[in-house]
Amino acid sequence: MSVSHQATVAHPAAAKGIGLHTGRQVRLELSPGPADSGIVFIREDLPGRPEIAATPDAVDLEAGRRTELKGPGGAGAAMIEHLLAACLGLGIDNLRVALNGPELPIFDGSALPYVELLARAGRRELDAPRRAWRLRRPVVLDTGRAQITAVPATAMSLAFFADLAHAGLPDQAAEFQLGSDDFAATLAPARTWCLYEEVEALRAKGLIRGGSLDCAVVLRDGKPMETAWRLDRELARHKLLDFLGDLAILGRPVHALLTARGSGHQLHHRFIQLLRKELVT
């Protein structure tokens, strides 16, 4: 993978799956995007096929337990974080994503199906330089229950500290350095997770209508129900995967050491609004 040139996919590739929250089947197709266009979602099921660029300004800051974009006429694209993490982790800068529903498929709850889909699409370098953001000064967001920090560095490194006492498990930590660590092996297979006690409350809110033990790790009595761990520290690794996917909304890698403890999507995007004020090319 070249670190000096932008990249896109070489040819289209499509897949179908169930949306985690809507429970509806959705089809998505990846296709090449031109240099400096970033990642753009196209709602093929809506009049005029509205396009929604993955940028911080498009993020719905009120969406819970997911990352969701809002575009023209109220068009949305939700559950984008696993695909965005795969793109950043694999060095795909520009991509067009056509879909026929309001959220991307959950597949098995990890980013691995997106890694496989991108592999089917292939990779093509573009005649344009890849640029990274530099951080002018440290940024901190501390709510008391959760913290996120960023300090300047020469590469993009992340760490996530998962507080798991409430789940009856020891706390976990995970680390990842973009460009050095193997995203497909160390982060992509880690699955989304929740507590058994949360399931009914989430359904009462109209969420996880498509959820099942096939697409999430459900923790009960301190262990996963009807499944085995794929990776050691899988819970923290998935939280780091989500963190990486949310940071991908900035459109470029960030040369910083970014650490998070106890945070989720909403706090990530509050932090990104602070972070972007200190970013320079």
Side-chain angles (χ1 to χ4, degrees):
M1 181 180 75
S2 171
V3 297
S4 59
H5 287 84
Q6 294 180 36
T8 185
V9 293
H11 47 75
K16 292 181 180 179
I18 299 297
L20 174 62
H21 296 300
T22 64
R24 293 167 47 186
Q25 186 173 88
V26 61
R27 179 183 185 275
L28 80 157
E29 182 173 352
L30 312 182
S31 59
D36 297 316
S37 63
I39 297 175
V40 179
F41 295 89
I42 305 102
R43 285 291 302 275
E44 290 193 318
D45 58 317
L46 297 179
R49 301 177 74 249
E51 299 189 359
I52 313 163
T55 68
D57 290 330
V59 173
D60 181 356
L61 297 176
E62 301 303 316
R65 300 186 76 105
R66 63 193 181 278
T67 292
E68 182 170 358
L69 304 176
K70 290 296 184 183
M79 294 298 296
I80 63 171
E81 55 267 26
H82 297 171
L83 173 59
L84 292 188
C87 288
L88 184 53
L90 299 175
I92 298 296
D93 308 278
N94 307 288
L95 188 67
R96 293 181 64 78
V97 185
L99 64 157
N100 64 351
E103 67 175 333
L104 275 65
I106 187 63
F107 295 125
D108 67 352
S110 79
L112 194 56
Y114 287 109
V115 169
E116 294 167 349
L117 184 61
L118 287 165
R120 294 211 314 269
R123 187 174 185 278
R124 178 168 62 88
E125 287 196 357
L126 300 170
D127 188 19
R130 173 179 290 136
R131 293 177 288 271
W133 294 114
R134 292 185 296 108
L135 183 61
R136 291 188 295 189
R137 58 179 65 90
V139 178
V140 178
L141 177 58
D142 189 337
T143 68
R145 299 182 62 182
Q147 298 86 32
I148 310 177
T149 65
V151 296
T154 57
M156 187 173 187
S157 298
L158 299 92
F160 198 100
F161 303 91
D163 299 325
L164 299 172
H166 66 294
L169 289 165
D171 294 345
Q172 295 181 6
E175 310 82 29
F176 180 77
Q177 181 162 329
L178 187 68
S180 297
D181 294 336
D182 186 343
F183 173 83
T186 62
L187 288 188
R191 296 160 292 176
T192 192
W193 56 276
C194 70
L195 303 181
Y196 175 78
E197 294 79 10
E198 296 177 301
V199 171
E200 289 307 318
L202 291 169
R203 286 179 173 164
K205 294 179 180 179
L207 301 175
I208 64 168
R209 295 172 183 171
S212 73
L213 293 175
D214 294 327
C215 65
V217 176
V218 179
L219 299 172
R220 188 175 190 182
D221 299 326
K223 59 184 178 181
M225 296 174 61
E226 298 185 24
T227 189
W229 299 118
R230 284 184 178 176
L231 301 168
D232 70 295
R233 298 170 289 129
E234 184 172 358
L235 305 182
R237 288 177 193 261
H238 185 82
K239 295 292 287 185
L240 195 152
L241 167 69
D242 280 347
F243 188 32
L244 180 68
D246 289 340
L247 289 165
I249 207 80
L250 289 163
R252 303 177 188 176
V254 180
H255 283 181
L257 171 60
L258 300 121
T259 62
R261 182 184 70 80
S263 57
H265 295 296
Q266 281 186 313
L267 198 64
H268 295 165
H269 290 293
R270 282 178 55 193
F271 177 76
I272 286 167
Q273 297 302 321
L274 299 174
L275 183 69
R276 65 191 297 209
K277 297 175 183 177
E278 303 297 341
L279 297 177
V280 293
T281 55

